[in-house]
Amino acid sequence: PATCNADLSEWWLPAAAEHAIAIMEEVDAIIIHTLKSIGCDLDDEVNGLKQFTSENIVEAAACCLNHIDPDKYKFSKKLPAQMSTRFRACADMAAACKELGFSDDIGYNQFLYTNESETRALFMWLVEKLPQDEAGGAAEPMGAGALLEARMAAA
């Protein structure tokens, strides 16, 4: 029996990992498509969130926040040159995310120091917060979070 379980796990674990990677790639593609559709200027070579630089994260977060509440948020899409101003701008974006209901820990570091899983969680949440006409136009949620939940339920 132990040998049988070991053989099964040798097959199942790599297959499960490949499936999870495929889902993350699909979610990343939806997030990037949505970001481009609201005016983020991402290079065509960027096809996953693991390729995001601090500049990409700040630009994309600023685009999202400015679209979520254009009367309240007017974030610059460019990182300031001076480091102290960078920290302040990123801290302000983090505070806006908290104010809008982002429940994970967030601070300037999520914008300045890239971490793929934290970046994905942030942008899945931001894309879900976009007005529906900008996030895809459908009456039902079509954001990255909804897709991920549906794909994980089907797995």
Side-chain angles (χ1 to χ4, degrees):
T3 305
C4 182
N5 288 341
D7 291 343
L8 180 61
S9 69
E10 287 176 14
W11 170 82
W12 184 82
L13 290 176
E18 287 178 21
H19 182 68
I21 290 169
I23 290 171
M24 290 301 116
E25 288 172 351
E26 190 172 344
V27 168
D28 286 2
I30 290 169
I31 290 170
I32 290 168
H33 173 77
T34 302
L35 293 173
K36 286 181 177 182
S37 76
I38 63 168
C40 291
D41 187 27
L42 299 171
D43 289 335
D44 289 335
E45 294 83 35
V46 174
N47 57 20
L49 296 179
K50 66 183 169 199
Q51 296 171 300
F52 268 34
T53 63
S54 297
E55 289 80 8
N56 295 138
I57 294 170
V58 167
E59 177 183 1
C63 281
C64 289
L65 291 166
N66 294 344
H67 277 82
I68 289 167
D69 191 344
D71 294 330
K72 186 171 189 173
Y73 302 121
K74 309 264 188 246
F75 290 106
S76 172
K77 295 187 329 182
K78 299 290 180 200
L79 268 174
Q82 195 173 43
M83 200 53 151
S84 62
T85 312
R86 284 180 179 218
F87 284 120
R88 185 75 207 137
C90 292
D92 289 345
M93 279 196 276
C97 291
K98 275 294 191 190
E99 184 178 290
L100 289 168
F102 188 68
S103 61
D104 292 350
D105 285 338
I106 189 167
Y108 68 85
N109 51 318
Q110 274 81 7
F111 299 94
L112 291 178
Y113 309 110
T114 62
N115 174 304
E116 184 180 356
S117 63
E118 289 178 359
T119 300
R120 185 174 293 109
L122 175 63
F123 284 107
M124 284 174 59
W125 181 83
L126 284 168
V127 165
E128 290 291 331
K129 286 294 208 181
L130 287 170
Q132 282 301 311
D133 61 328
E134 297 185 32
E140 60 199 48
M142 292 302 289
L147 174 67
L148 180 60
E149 287 176 22
R151 292 288 303 231
M152 294 301 278

